[in-house]
Amino acid sequence: MTACAIEPEAAPGDRAPEVGCSITADGAYAARLALDGDCWFPERWTLDGPEPYAVPLPGNQPEEPGTEVQPMGDGRVLIRRPTDGRHVFSLLYPTGPGTGEVLLGAVECPDEDASLRLLPPAPGGEKAYALAVGRRSSTLWLVAGGAFGPERLAEIPGRCSGGVWLDHAGRMLALDREVGGRTKTVVVDLGRGGEVSPFLQITEGSDDRLLLADPDSGLLLIRSDAPSPGEDRLGWGVLGSTLPVRFPECLRVPDCSVTPFAIQPGLVLMPESCGVALRVDGPMGGWVGLWRPDRRQVHHLPAPAGWLAGAGLWTRDGVLQLPYATAEMPCGLAQVAAPSGEAGEAVPEGGPGDDGTAVRAASGAAARAAGEPADEPSQPDPPEPVVARPVPLREAPLGRLVTN
């Protein structure tokens, strides 16, 4: 399973805890901050059983703004609590009616302009990482799974953001680094002492960011202003491919922001067939988009009531699972099948209030809000020329910028 979502970061202390959730790389567990009245508390979800269920993990007092939680592969929950220029890390676990806590240690950020946040869950679920961003450099920390508490792994020149795992071993980490006013994606090799190397540069003067990656197929989701200077566009490429990065026109939704949050795993050597889940936010609210690189159309579906926006995961069978919480169902997973066939129709499989007809009607409304016909069949892109020798993505030319 593949899951991911990183929201634009606000300054610590300027916002309430994030309402969304974090999901382990294998999809077994999730964690979020839940609300009880006016009080925030950690909650762990178990997702790999017959039915999802939640276990509350409240502490001795409510959590403060800026707190983050992340599930570990063994079912414990990592929590980061900011306090007086320090970030304290602990592991939480249920102990009958109470909550057990193992203190891991703290990371100090004496620079007032510095921020620290957890990176997406690492493959394997045994380790967790955090990124501290200062004025001129960024520091990568191992905050769980080390031998002696938090360990400083690497200092990277420039201000880094993002965070995408490129392999199943949890060794290659991609970060978006800003240097000299331009942002390019670099790779940090944790197996070689945090060695940094370039990864994504479409043109010298463009801002290029990596949003998602699937280690099985090599499919990459990219945001760049290379095809339209000054305007960010969503594009896709394949790691090691001979083909250039492409920016489909269908991924531009007027007056809306479009953010990919999950890629269908397991399709080795078939990146064009991978389902991609998109979060679409606009004046009419938010919804879910489903797309495949070999289709010209995004299929817009209503988000389930109570969706933990931006969170979701694909099964290897091509079913998108969206976690949601409502008063009637405090821990639920809505399911939608990946687009298939020439029309690429998404098939709702379940969710709150889903009777099929309502989903299709709301899907048409979402499509109209996106400025697209609701039922227009998609057509595959014409085949691209194939070159025998694969090249790294950063060296691929910026050709055929827009596909319709």
Side-chain angles (χ1 to χ4, degrees):
M1 300 182 181
T2 300
C4 176
I6 298 179
E7 296 296 328
E9 188 180 26
D14 290 348
R15 56 178 169 86
E18 294 288 351
V19 179
C21 71
S22 175
I23 306 175
T24 55
D26 64 359
Y29 294 102
R32 69 169 187 139
L33 287 172
L35 193 60
D36 181 11
D38 295 329
C39 300
W40 295 93
F41 66 92
E43 188 176 72
R44 186 198 70 192
W45 289 27
T46 299
L47 304 178
D48 61 350
E51 295 289 339
Y53 65 91
V55 176
L57 297 171
N60 296 325
Q61 61 186 26
E63 302 299 338
E64 298 292 330
T67 300
E68 284 186 295
V69 292
Q70 183 174 116
M72 303 296 292
D74 59 4
R76 294 184 292 179
V77 172
L78 174 68
I79 187 167
R80 175 187 69 85
R81 296 184 176 108
T83 172
D84 299 327
R86 302 170 72 240
H87 300 264
V88 181
F89 295 89
S90 296
L91 287 172
L92 308 178
Y93 58 94
T95 56
T99 301
E101 182 168 343
V102 177
L103 180 64
L104 298 177
V107 173
E108 293 191 10
C109 289
D111 188 344
E112 294 183 357
D113 296 331
S115 64
L116 185 143
R117 63 177 175 84
L118 292 174
L119 289 171
E126 298 177 354
K127 298 180 179 180
Y129 300 85
L131 185 68
V133 183
R135 296 178 183 178
R136 298 181 179 84
S137 65
S138 304
T139 305
L140 181 64
W141 289 85
L142 172 66
V143 295
F148 307 103
E151 300 177 15
R152 181 172 174 162
L153 298 181
E155 184 168 357
I156 306 164
R159 295 178 59 85
C160 292
S161 58
V164 176
W165 296 101
L166 299 177
D167 62 345
H168 290 298
R171 170 175 171 171
M172 308 301 289
L173 173 66
L175 295 171
D176 301 325
R177 180 176 65 173
E178 179 187 349
V179 176
R182 294 295 178 192
T183 300
K184 307 291 182 184
T185 303
V186 298
V187 173
V188 182
D189 188 343
L190 302 182
R192 302 187 66 176
E195 180 180 278
V196 179
S197 58
F199 179 73
L200 175 63
Q201 175 173 304
I202 300 179
T203 68
E204 186 174 344
S206 59
D207 289 320
D208 310 313
R209 296 174 173 86
L210 180 65
L211 305 182
L212 285 180
D214 174 56
D216 293 328
S217 63
L219 178 63
L220 307 175
L221 273 295
I222 294 157
R223 194 183 302 278
S224 173
D225 63 354
S228 306
E231 176 192 357
D232 284 340
R233 296 280 302 275
L234 277 181
W236 67 280
V238 180
L239 183 62
S241 172
T242 59
L243 302 179
V245 176
R246 281 165 283 181
F247 295 85
E249 185 68 22
C250 66
L251 296 182
R252 303 176 75 180
V253 181
D255 301 321
C256 294
S257 63
V258 181
T259 306
F261 63 89
I263 300 176
Q264 180 182 354
L267 300 180
V268 179
L269 303 180
M270 298 175 63
E272 293 86 355
S273 299
C274 293
V276 178
L278 308 167
R279 173 182 175 178
V280 187
D281 294 286
M284 298 180 63
W287 61 89
V288 177
L290 299 183
W291 171 75
R292 280 169 42 178
D294 62 0
R295 297 289 181 261
R296 292 189 177 191
Q297 185 178 349
V298 174
H299 300 275
H300 299 273
L301 298 173
W307 179 39
L308 305 181
L313 62 151
W314 289 96
T315 68
R316 289 181 175 267
D317 296 330
V319 176
L320 175 64
Q321 299 183 326
L322 301 173
Y324 67 92
T326 64
E328 297 77 18
M329 181 65 71
C331 177
L333 279 179
Q335 298 186 340
V336 180
S340 61
E342 281 302 308
E345 296 179 354
V347 182
E349 295 196 347
D354 172 26
D355 64 358
T357 302
V359 169
R360 284 190 291 273
S363 174
R368 288 191 292 274
E372 297 184 6
D375 299 314
E376 179 182 346
S378 61
Q379 298 295 329
D381 289 341
E384 296 283 353
V386 176
V387 182
R389 184 180 64 86
V391 296
L393 182 67
R394 69 176 186 272
E395 297 176 9
L398 182 64
R400 197 165 181 261
L401 296 179
V402 176
T403 58
N404 295 316

